Amino acid sequence: MNFGYFLQLIFPNLILSDFLVTEVFPVSSSVALISKYNPLISTLNFNLNFIINKYEQLPKHKDLAKAIELDILRKGFFMTKSVLNLLCDGFETEAFSTWRTIHEVECVAKILDDKPYLGETYALHMKYNSIYRGSEEDKEKVDAFYEEVKGKLKMWDLKSKDFKKFLEYGWLYDIPNWKEEYPELKLNFRKGLEYVAGLTQYSDLYEASSEIAHGSPLLIYSSKAYYLNLAIICLYETFLRMEDLFAHILRDFSEIDSTAYYKMRNVYIIESKKNLIKLKLMNDYNEDDEEEVPDDIFEKIKESINL
């Protein structure tokens, strides 16, 4: 059969099928609690688009830690957009469980921003993980990798069962005097990355998000409205911290004109923070609560998000 004739036959049906699935019978039309046109979604989406487009102008940062941090933040921004899409399609619990990964991303970025001297060690552990996952075919190099890591495990008095944990979190041991500065440090997320990043106030939320990700009853029997509100609040708070890190690094690129970005930031980041204030007020004091709203609650929330 002539290929052009074949396309003439099938192409109209493909277009009709796509139109019916996406426009006439979208899944989200009956189950989504929030629309992409809602200011809570559209404001954050605008911010994200502006940031992601800004990345196209940036050369590779000369500092290794900052270069890695920028790459990590970029992944965080893209994942934030994916969570917004999940919310607009009615997948609130899935959105909240995905926030967990974004929180992990921001913790790594925050540590590298606070302690840029860890850049080389973090890059080394990225290489370790890559070799461990089978990226290296040279047997001598693989053997050398195992010997090197085993030597470091012995140096830190760790057991062979700690091998994988050391690959992922062992770079934190390069913090000078970590035993004094972070006496509770362990090779895991909550007492490792989250602890050193200074974001342990999110530990309970992270645990709840993890339970959903691992198929607990919360995934099936849950309030859509509750997880919508929780996911948006967590997403906003994490985004604002990541954007602050990005804006800080952006000043390193003096050769790039970022005037438009900072003008946008003065307007839309402020709007995002105002949205967060409204969200927190609605979450803490809904109309059905008998508890009286404290007079200073607005100022306390403003201070907590640095508005």
Side-chain angles (χ1 to χ4, degrees), residues 161-217:
K161 65 181 178 64
D162 300 315
F163 193 94
K164 289 178 65 177
K165 291 190 292 184
F166 178 77
L167 296 185
E168 190 166 357
Y169 304 108
W171 57 282
L172 296 174
Y173 282 166
D174 260 26
I175 299 173
N177 302 317
W178 63 264
K179 290 184 179 180
E180 289 75 28
E181 188 174 356
Y182 302 103
E184 299 178 31
L185 181 66
K186 294 181 181 179
L187 295 179
N188 59 41
F189 176 73
R190 295 182 66 177
K191 285 296 185 179
L193 297 181
E194 195 175 50
Y195 176 43
V196 175
L199 294 171
T200 53
Q201 67 269 33
Y202 290 91
S203 290
D204 290 342
L205 287 168
Y206 180 81
E207 183 177 353
S209 179
S210 299
E211 288 180 6
I212 292 175
H214 291 98
S216 78

Side-chain angles (χ1 to χ4, degrees), residues 93 216-224 227:
T93 50
S216 78
L218 290 175
L219 178 63
I220 305 167
Y221 303 107
S222 58
S223 165
K224 288 172 67 66
Y227 280 103

Side-chain angles (χ1 to χ4, degrees), residues 77-89:
F77 293 135
F78 273 109
M79 292 193 69
T80 302
K81 283 188 71 71
S82 75
V83 171
L84 293 179
N85 290 334
L86 286 171
L87 290 172
C88 293
D89 283 340

